Amino acid sequence: MTQVFLNVIMNAVRHSPDGGTVTVAVRAEPSGEGGGRGESAMLRVTVADDGPGIAPEHLTHIFDRFYRAGDDRSRGTGGMGLGLSIAKAYVQSHGGTIEAESEPGSGARFIVRVPAWTGDGCGSRRTEL
């Protein structure tokens, strides 16, 4: 999970203006799948920046392999367009989700949800951060 958060946080820093703000918030939330008592908790990590935001036509593709939006297509401004697709695959392999929200001019927000704990205590697996 370290690579997931490195990718998302470094993107936020890269796209924030000088002196801008990147916010990371972590909280537990119910998964919604357990029907109440005994449902497994999800860990929700939100990374938000105050950069230029992501245009709607790019927002639907940012998790695609090799996709780089608009002005971010030159090699000097970033990687190869693999970071977010790798992050998505890794999060999904841990039973979680990753999504992005943005409006141009209002920054971007990435929300990662992963199980905080799975199993019944015998052979249980914890999501390592």
Side-chain angles (χ1 to χ4, degrees):
M1 292 306 293
T2 301
Q3 190 63 51
V4 170
F5 294 110
L6 279 174
N7 289 349
V8 174
I9 292 169
M10 290 308 297
N11 279 348
V13 169
R14 183 180 302 124
H15 294 287
S16 291
D18 288 342
T21 302
V22 173
T23 305
V24 179
V26 181
R27 69 180 172 107
E29 63 181 24
S31 70
E33 298 174 5
R37 193 177 165 115
E39 29 179 74
S40 55
M42 298 292 282
L43 184 65
R44 175 188 168 126
V45 181
T46 304
V47 178
D49 66 58
D50 59 358
I54 304 166
E57 64 268 20
H58 297 299
L59 199 55
T60 58
H61 300 286
I62 60 172
F63 294 105
D64 295 347
R65 285 184 295 162
F66 302 110
Y67 189 81
R68 297 182 67 198
D71 296 336
D72 196 34
R73 293 185 188 271
S74 71
R75 179 73 176 115
T77 60
M80 297 181 64
L82 290 171
L84 291 176
S85 66
I86 290 169
K88 180 178 180 179
Y90 201 76
V91 168
Q92 287 177 332
S93 76
H94 281 76
T97 62
I98 182 170
E99 60 187 88
E101 300 173 348
S102 181
E103 290 186 26
S106 298
R109 183 167 62 171
F110 287 80
I111 302 158
V112 177
R113 289 182 182 91
V114 290
W117 190 267
T118 59
D120 61 2
C122 296
S124 296
R125 189 179 81 201
R126 186 173 50 159
T127 298
E128 297 291 333
L129 294 179

